[in-house]
Amino acid sequence: MTEPEVESEVGVEAGSTEEQLSGRMVEGLRPDAEEAGAAYESNLMVGGVQADEIKADRDFVGRDKVNIYLGASGRGREPVPLALGREELDPIQHTFVPPGGFAELSLERRLLIIRVGARRGGRTAAARLLLDYGVSAVKVLAPDVALRRLTAKRLESQVGYLLPNAGATVLEDLTGFEIERLHECLGDLDSRLVLTVDPKARLPQALIDDYTASLGDPPAAAEVLGAHLRRHLRWVDPDGVRTAEILAEPLVREMLADIAERDDRVRRAASLARTLAGDERAGSLDLERIRRQLKQFSDATFETWFDRLDASSRCFAISLATLPGYSYEVVSDAAAQLERTLMPPAQPAPGEPPPDPFRNRRTTLLETVQARVTNQPVRTRYGVTPMEVVHFGDRGLPQQVLTGVWAEYAEIRDGLLEWLRNLARHPVAAVRIGAAEAVGVFAVHAFDYVRRSVIGPWAQSPNTLDRQAAAAALQRPARAAAVSQATRSMLYDWHLDRSDDPFRITAARAYGHLGLLDLETSLDAFAHLATDANLAPVLASSITSVIVRGDEQLTLSVLERLRLWTSRPAPVIEPPEDSQRARRELTPKERLDDQQARLFVAYYAFVYAASRAQMREPVGTHPGASAWHGLLWRSDTSPAIAAVVAALWADALLHPIAREAAQQALTAWAEVVDGDPVGREALAGLLERVTGGNRRAYSAVRQLARRWHSERTAPDAGGAVLKRLDHVGGDDDGK
């Protein structure tokens, strides 16, 4: 699905009539000037498969009173465990090669401490062990978590918890009593806990016999390379013939020999597999060049390699680390801007020639920084066009470059941040996000400094692009265990009704990113932010972002929450602690205003997601196949989602606030699938569910389908819907 990130701040005056609110909602569905400046288009749903174009728990009861604000006591809570995302889980599930001693590991006692050295695959092995025991999710605990506070109320059922690199203070908590308590608690929930520790760490005697194990040597580089290469090439080489040919190449064997005895051979073999697969898919596999670059980097540490570069090459490397996988022109332009920022050009001395504009050949530059260019088809606003895309040969280099530069070159930090601030206003949306994500990398290492220098000023800026950059920059620290709690506490402050509007807008967008990581916290934040109907556009964009990028269960949870907000009687949602609303008793009118604002936001968000989220590629390969709107596809593939979507459409078509916008959105659906027989039937089936025995909904759907048919806007889709409704029957005039 596409995911527009539009922050058109449509104001809603207090006391707006339903007619005025309806007009605001319709206005919000129209393409506007800011859409071209969208912050990003993230993961796209293409035929049910999650892809990334740019870079390669419900708690309510539908009765009279519902209190669903779980984030009310946001300050003193234990850091929320971070769920491993798809990017990390995919290689663990599909390319894992066990290290020595893995087969002997056991979680039958539900608690295990693995002795393993740094960078020897302990975290990956622990996660795979948890998955092998059938947990529903793997979540990483914060490094400073107090194990004595892990109680049944704080843990979830059938979840595997992982605490990598546990420190001495954590281990000191594991007394005999505490071990028995944890074992019992985990057993009641059918959950498990794995810690990894340094082999030299001193463990309490109570742990040594029954709860500890050791991992041996990492797996062979050849096995890792084969597993990863087969995974990367599975679509273009399903029978594995070409993969076997590549693995048999003498130069590939030579490259494997160079890394075979290294402690980090697993990481290097996985990186080599990505490089080989990328070149193979692009039709430009050059083993000699890859071998030469690999040897150059293997013969030196990162610092030695970076220090050998001249100033221009270093700027290009930093630019490429910030914008990996973007066009060569964009990366080189950004590199030139960085060079001018760090080293303003000076007038040449008398008699000296000016700088030679031809001094840097692209071929030499790419070879020096170990990068390569591939020609790839890229989707643009005006269709698919060829583009020269540049990236490092070693996909692990971007992180190394950014963290290394930040750690080792303190004198350029101010200039580096100034460059990123300027880059975050680039006309290309993806470049802005690259700049923001680089700021996020730095925030993991120096959160307070980067917060004060960049993220905070962005968040309170009157400029839309700055606020979008602030929200994007917080994704990385929100996922980093060491600073996740600080990031969440800051967002909690920003979203409260006592904060200024720019902070609340930034928080609304940031919680859209956080939704994939911690959905309940984001939904609770949305519930409080939704009491201000002026935030409806940005909340709609953020909620759409979660729906587009999430899996089926996450999408269902979000839609069910929107349905709750539109239910009658309206739910009573208590405000969070520290908010202005929580400090006094709300009057009945204030509570009614909150409910009305939340209802408006719910309809706005639903119709916005229905209108803006669309598949990138046609659904199916049949004649006439079209790219459906995303919620139609989700409804067709999930009966549970179909039930909620149908109920939301029924309400939206009948409510004065949403009626006109809902009709426009459904008309857009019909136009898209009008020439697609499968899509027409999917739409007709969903709209049949919309009627659901409701005579008024039946009348609204029938009248809309008649209009499509008679006005020829979507005649075939209208006919398919009318045919379905003829079998249902109903009161055509809605009386």
Side-chain angles (χ1 to χ4, degrees):
M1 277 193 243
T2 60
E3 180 205 344
E5 283 287 325
V6 185
E7 188 180 306
S8 54
E9 292 161 24
V10 180
V12 178
E13 300 82 3
S16 295
T17 66
E18 289 183 340
E19 182 180 355
Q20 290 172 323
L21 293 175
S22 175
R24 298 294 189 187
M25 193 177 300
V26 172
E27 181 182 345
L29 297 184
R30 295 172 183 148
D32 54 46
E34 290 190 27
E35 183 154 5
Y40 68 96
E41 290 181 349
S42 189
N43 291 353
L44 316 169
M45 278 188 233
V46 185
V49 178
Q50 287 282 0
D52 190 319
E53 184 190 44
I54 292 174
K55 294 188 177 183
D57 327 55
R58 290 149 292 173
D59 58 298
F60 58 83
V61 180
R63 294 298 179 189
D64 293 338
K65 180 174 180 179
V66 185
N67 297 299
I68 64 171
Y69 202 97
L70 301 183
S73 56
R75 289 201 175 279
R77 295 191 298 176
E78 194 76 21
V80 178
L82 308 180
L84 292 189
R86 285 185 296 270
E87 288 184 1
E88 191 166 357
L89 283 176
D90 183 78
I92 293 172
Q93 290 173 315
H94 301 291
T95 62
F96 177 74
V97 180
F102 181 80
E104 285 72 46
L105 299 181
S106 172
L107 268 173
E108 293 302 324
R109 296 183 65 85
R110 303 190 177 277
L111 170 65
L112 179 66
I113 298 179
I114 302 176
R115 295 177 180 268
V116 57
R119 296 188 302 174
R120 294 178 69 88
R123 176 185 168 117
T124 300
R128 177 55 186 257
L129 180 65
L130 289 166
L131 292 172
D132 286 347
Y133 272 83
V135 299
S136 61
V138 177
K139 297 192 174 184
V140 182
L141 296 168
D144 56 350
V145 65
L147 294 180
R148 64 183 180 278
R149 297 182 65 184
L150 293 183
T151 64
K153 291 183 178 180
R154 294 178 179 271
L155 298 175
E156 299 175 57
S157 176
Q158 294 185 319
V159 169
Y161 292 95
L162 171 60
L163 179 54
N165 304 315
T169 55
V170 173
L171 299 177
E172 288 170 359
D173 280 346
L174 290 176
T175 62
F177 170 80
E178 196 62 32
I179 292 169
E180 290 302 319
R181 185 196 65 79
L182 267 175
H183 183 267
E184 181 178 351
C185 180
L186 292 166
D188 291 342
L189 294 170
D190 194 20
S191 295
R192 288 169 169 82
L193 170 64
V194 179
L195 296 79
T196 67
V197 301
D198 187 277
K200 299 178 182 178
R202 298 184 63 182
L203 299 175
Q205 187 63 38
L207 290 171
I208 292 177
D209 294 332
D210 298 323
Y211 295 95
T212 62
S214 298
L215 277 181
D217 291 334
E223 293 183 74
V224 175
L225 177 64
H228 282 261
L229 193 58
R230 282 187 288 273
R231 179 69 179 170
H232 289 309
L233 296 180
R234 63 192 183 280
W235 301 119
V236 297
D237 181 35
D239 55 8
V241 173
R242 179 56 182 153
T243 302
E245 292 175 351
I246 295 173
L247 292 172
E249 288 282 352
L251 285 178
V252 172
R253 293 178 180 274
E254 183 180 334
M255 286 185 272
L256 282 171
D258 288 340
I259 64 174
E261 301 304 320
R262 298 182 65 110
D263 284 346
D264 61 350
R265 57 181 176 266
V266 172
R267 182 186 66 80
R268 289 182 177 272
S271 177
L272 176 58
R274 287 193 297 268
T275 300
L276 293 170
D279 279 12
E280 175 66 19
R281 288 194 299 264
S284 58
L285 184 59
D286 184 344
L287 294 177
E288 177 56 41
R289 175 182 53 77
I290 295 173
R291 185 199 65 79
R292 189 168 59 249
Q293 290 185 343
L294 182 65
K295 185 170 179 57
Q296 178 186 356
F297 196 71
S298 296
D299 287 346
T301 63
F302 164 76
E303 290 78 11
T304 304
W305 166 77
F306 192 77
D307 287 345
R308 288 175 181 170
L309 305 179
D310 60 26
S312 294
S313 299
R314 291 179 187 175
C315 289
F316 187 87
I318 295 171
S319 177
L320 182 54
T322 303
L323 305 171
Y326 296 92
S327 72
Y328 180 82
E329 292 78 12
V330 166
V331 174
S332 59
D333 285 351
Q337 294 171 14
L338 177 59
E339 188 171 356
R340 288 192 295 269
T341 300
L342 298 179
M343 297 164 288
Q347 291 293 329
E352 287 188 5
D356 181 5
F358 299 101
R359 68 187 186 280
N360 292 327
R361 296 180 68 247
R362 186 176 80 167
T363 304
T364 305
L365 175 62
L366 293 175
E367 187 74 19
T368 301
V369 300
Q370 301 182 37
R372 60 192 179 92
V373 167
T374 57
N375 197 294
Q376 299 178 12
V378 174
R379 188 184 300 276
T380 70
R381 187 184 305 178
Y382 301 109
V384 176
T385 62
M387 183 178 294
E388 290 189 318
V389 174
V390 59
H391 49 76
F392 287 112
D394 182 345
R395 299 300 176 90
L397 264 181
Q399 181 78 15
Q400 287 184 276
V401 169
L402 291 177
T403 56
V405 166
W406 183 264
E408 298 296 334
Y409 301 95
E411 66 276 8
I412 72 165
R413 287 176 181 170
D414 287 343
L416 193 59
L417 294 178
E418 178 187 348
W419 172 68
L420 290 172
R421 280 191 289 265
N422 292 330
L423 206 59
R425 291 192 176 185
H426 195 279
V428 176
V431 173
R432 298 199 295 271
I433 288 303
E437 289 179 343
V439 170
V441 171
F442 300 148
V444 171
H445 299 279
F447 180 81
D448 197 57
Y449 178 82
V450 176
R451 173 191 66 80
R452 287 184 284 105
S453 300
V454 183
I455 297 177
W458 271 348
Q460 62 184 329
S461 168
N463 186 283
T464 297
L465 298 183
D466 288 345
R467 294 193 297 273
Q468 291 175 344
L474 291 173
Q475 291 186 74
R476 188 67 67 94
R479 292 178 179 272
V483 293
S484 177
Q485 184 63 11
T487 304
R488 291 158 185 260
S489 295
M490 182 177 70
L491 280 178
Y492 176 82
D493 271 346
W494 287 359
H495 99 290
L496 296 174
D497 54 10
R498 57 181 169 79
S499 296
D500 294 337
D501 284 348
F503 282 117
R504 302 198 80 203
I505 292 170
T506 303
R509 187 166 299 285
Y511 278 116
H513 299 306
L514 187 62
L516 298 182
L517 187 67
D518 185 357
L519 179 61
E520 287 302 327
T521 295
S522 292
L523 291 177
D524 291 342
F526 291 154
H528 179 55
L529 291 162
T531 56
D532 183 353
N534 287 307
L535 298 178
V538 67
L539 283 171
S541 180
S542 289
I543 290 169
T544 300
S545 169
V546 179
I547 290 173
V548 166
R549 296 183 294 157
D551 58 17
E552 180 180 314
Q553 182 56 50
L554 188 146
T555 298
L556 177 62
S557 297
V558 174
L559 293 171
E560 285 180 330
R561 190 61 59 91
L562 296 181
R563 176 79 175 109
L564 174 69
W565 291 355
T566 64
S567 62
R568 297 177 185 176
V572 176
I573 302 176
E574 296 299 335
E577 291 180 6
D578 305 313
S579 66
Q580 291 180 336
R581 283 173 170 77
R583 295 176 180 176
R584 57 184 175 80
E585 185 67 28
L586 297 181
T587 67
K589 182 182 183 305
E590 287 174 325
R591 288 193 177 276
L592 184 62
D593 288 344
D594 283 357
Q595 292 169 347
Q596 183 76 355
R598 196 175 289 114
L599 179 141
F600 173 67
V601 169
Y603 281 133
Y604 197 122
F606 170 67
V607 180
Y608 185 96
S611 302
R612 297 297 182 90
Q614 189 169 355
M615 309 298 286
R616 279 292 192 187
E617 303 294 339
V619 178
T621 58
H622 56 276
S626 61
W628 304 0
H629 282 80
L631 286 185
L632 176 59
W633 173 75
R634 279 292 195 198
S635 299
D636 192 56
T637 56
S638 168
I641 289 178
V644 183
V645 169
L648 284 164
W649 276 130
D651 289 347
L653 285 169
L654 298 177
H655 200 288
I657 287 177
R659 182 186 300 123
E660 184 180 355
Q663 290 175 351
Q664 289 189 12
L666 276 175
T667 299
W669 282 25
E671 290 173 347
V672 165
V673 301
D674 193 55
D676 179 349
V678 177
R680 289 197 303 266
E681 286 305 309
L683 177 61
L686 179 64
L687 291 183
E688 181 182 352
R689 297 190 67 159
V690 169
T691 62
N694 183 325
R695 290 182 299 171
R696 294 179 63 222
Y698 174 89
S699 178
V701 170
R702 190 173 187 86
Q703 289 175 14
L704 190 58
R706 280 178 171 173
R707 188 189 311 163
W708 299 340
H709 189 70
S710 62
E711 296 178 1
R712 312 301 294 174
T713 53
D716 292 338
V721 174
L722 291 171
K723 184 177 179 180
R724 279 292 188 105
L725 295 187
D726 285 341
H727 295 292
V728 176
D731 188 347
D732 194 21
D733 61 7
K735 295 180 181 179

